[in-house]
Amino acid sequence: MNELDARAFGFDTLSVRAGESRTGEQEHNAPIFLTSSFVFANAREAAARFSGEESGNVYSRFTNPTVRAFERRLAVLEAGTGCIATASGMSAILMTAMTLLRCGEHVVAANGLFGSTVSLFANVLPRFGIETTFVDATDVDAWSGAVRPETKMLFAESPTNPLGEIVDVAALGALAREHGATLVVDNCLCTPALSRPIELGAGIVVHSATKYLDGQGRCVGGAVVTNDAAHHDALFSLLRTAGPSMSPFNAWVFLHGLETLRIRMHAVSESASRLARWLEGHPAVRRVHYPGLESHPGHALAARQQSAGGGIVAFDVHGGRDEAWTVIDNARTLSITANLGDAKTTIVHPASTTHSRITAEQREAAGIGESLVRVAVGLETFEDVRADLARGLDRLAEVGPRPRAATG
Ligand SMILES: *Cc1c(COP(=O)(O)O)cnc(C)c1O
């Protein structure tokens, strides 16, 4: 099924059929091409393939049929025209930065991005003469005020992790176009099953395939989806030269992960939404952060941009670190780990784990206090997840919050 007839089919059909091609063996399921190189019929063909004059497989650093099947399927699902699969989500972001930016150019990025992304922009890119200004993700005027003549990339995640802040993708896409820059959206938390940033105006979508695209916590991988042949060619050329390639085995796992993506994303959104509502009514909970809740500041925007709220729910308990840890330590089946996008529900205390490397003041500014707990909802029976959280929360509600220090 090629990109042209993709428009004639629904998302679920494309999820299971786009990108596949059958070999002469007439296999029904996609095979894995575990081969590093490919052979040529004769010297002339070898020369034509190497020069790019003739398309076809050469070497799995940049041409592999299993990786290509995953790339084609994800491109179609994201409403893009091209896709380059990468070894990890971080290498997808690095590749994007390396193709869009040169020494002396500038990036505007949201506050509160994934930690390694912040580190890439704040610590690595400056060594190559690229500066980044971080702004409040939800404040379009702040983005606009930070743009300079040399700004070439705007970078955002929506919703943000862990607070679920919603970024106005259409407004930022228009801002980027007005200034000759490209809006890049990390669509890890929504996936194309819930939101398609390219349709909203983004120029590029990046993914950590490690999360929901896999869906069962098996492989590390990433992808860059483009909507412009020049971007795609630049990425392909960099992939061929620099080599942060996806393994065919991982591509095969992700290709199958995509087949159940929409069903899983709606299942986790449904459970997360029920959980958020239940948490809102619990006496030990001070505040719930979930874009599917009417009380969330980004609710209306989320309703326009997303078909459901996603699987991440964060909440503040009354009290501080001790109370947050009590909730986590009383869970019996939830996994205490920072990963997300797995079939298994995970729970974490962001201030002492994922966000422990930034200062307390930076955490305070980002709204990630000691009382915050993050749950990445998986596919277990909803009542079991709720019961696991209730064990710690009910204990807190019985004793009540501990007296807080005078400084609060
Ligand atoms: C995990 C993650 C990444 C990095 O992906 P890796 O596959 O771990 O390299 C980037 N962005 C977001 C939002 C993530 O959650």
Side-chain angles (χ1 to χ4, degrees):
M1 188 178 287
N2 62 38
E3 277 90 330
L4 277 184
D5 51 27
R7 266 169 267 171
F9 295 94
F11 189 91
D12 290 346
T13 307
L14 296 170
S15 297
V16 298
R17 297 214 178 256
E20 279 191 14
S21 53
R22 215 158 270 160
T23 74
E25 299 294 343
Q26 293 292 90
E27 70 283 355
H28 190 208
N29 188 34
I32 313 180
F33 286 91
L34 275 182
T35 177
S36 47
S37 75
F38 298 84
V39 295
F40 310 106
N42 49 50
R44 194 209 53 80
E45 186 180 86
R49 293 259 173 101
F50 265 83
S51 70
E53 187 186 303
E54 199 176 273
S55 65
N57 301 316
V58 175
Y59 185 59
S60 284
R61 187 187 327 113
F62 56 100
T63 48
N64 178 279
T66 316
V67 175
R68 195 155 54 239
F70 165 72
E71 290 172 336
R72 289 197 172 151
R73 185 168 292 175
L74 184 60
V76 165
L77 295 179
E78 280 287 7
T81 52
C83 173
I84 295 287
T86 58
S88 66
M90 288 320 302
S91 56
I93 298 170
L94 175 66
M95 291 263 294
T96 303
M98 287 182 77
T99 47
L100 289 181
L101 303 163
R102 292 168 180 273
C103 181
E105 292 182 337
H106 174 250
V107 179
V108 184
N111 269 329
L113 292 173
F114 183 68
S116 298
T117 309
V118 174
S119 187
L120 179 71
F121 291 158
N123 306 322
V124 178
L125 295 186
R127 303 208 325 259
F128 301 91
I130 295 160
E131 210 186 305
T132 298
T133 305
F134 292 95
V135 297
D136 179 342
T138 61
D139 182 351
V140 177
D141 291 338
W143 287 86
S144 174
V147 170
R148 304 177 190 166
E150 64 274 22
T151 303
K152 285 288 178 279
M153 177 166 99
L154 310 188
F155 192 100
E157 283 167 26
S158 187
T160 61
N161 177 12
L163 297 179
E165 289 178 325
I166 306 296
V167 174
D168 190 333
V169 176
L172 295 189
L175 180 68
R177 279 192 301 282
E178 188 187 320
H179 292 276
T182 302
L183 172 64
V184 179
V185 175
D186 181 335
N187 199 26
C188 178
L189 292 201
C190 271
T191 83
L194 302 187
S195 184
R196 309 216 282 177
I198 287 175
E199 285 182 342
L200 296 167
I204 288 182
V205 164
V206 294
H207 269 286
S208 168
T210 317
K211 314 293 168 52
Y212 290 107
L213 303 192
D214 176 313
Q216 297 181 41
R218 296 162 294 191
C219 296
V220 174
V224 187
V225 182
T226 53
N227 193 27
D228 168 306
H231 280 159
H232 180 81
D233 292 349
L235 285 160
F236 179 77
S237 164
L238 182 66
L239 179 81
R240 181 173 184 167
T241 306
S245 322
M246 176 178 283
S247 99
F249 179 82
N250 290 6
W252 184 84
V253 171
F254 297 137
L255 182 71
H256 291 84
L258 290 177
E259 295 185 356
T260 54
L261 182 65
R262 196 192 58 82
I263 294 173
R264 287 187 285 104
M265 290 312 292
H266 280 108
V268 298
S269 296
E270 169 70 19
S271 282
S273 165
R274 288 175 73 186
L275 193 66
R277 275 172 226 289
W278 172 76
L279 285 165
E280 260 193 328
H282 197 286
V285 174
R286 185 161 57 79
R287 185 162 172 209
V288 183
H289 310 267
Y290 184 65
L293 290 176
E294 290 74 16
S295 61
H296 191 278
H299 178 70
L301 187 54
R304 286 211 303 277
Q305 287 187 179
Q306 304 176 202
S307 60
I312 310 292
V313 181
F315 57 96
D316 283 289
V317 292
H318 287 291
R321 176 177 292 208
D322 288 349
E323 288 75 11
W325 282 18
T326 297
V327 176
I328 294 169
D329 291 341
N330 277 281
R332 287 184 195 151
T333 58
L334 306 194
S335 315
I336 305 174
T337 175
N339 197 27
L340 59 91
D342 200 306
K344 303 181 183 87
T345 300
T346 66
I347 187 166
V348 76
H349 180 242
S352 58
T353 60
T354 51
H355 292 72
S356 62
R357 283 176 297 171
I358 58 175
T359 65
E361 290 73 34
Q362 286 171 321
R363 278 199 296 274
E364 206 59 45
I368 298 165
E370 291 289 338
S371 60
L372 189 74
V373 176
R374 186 200 80 187
V375 177
V377 180
L379 298 174
E380 299 96 332
T381 305
F382 170 74
E383 287 76 13
D384 294 334
V385 176
R386 186 182 58 194
D388 230 18
L389 287 169
R391 201 170 298 110
L393 287 169
D394 291 351
R395 185 166 295 189
L396 292 183
E398 277 159 29
V399 280
R402 292 167 187 223
R404 306 187 70 187
T407 54

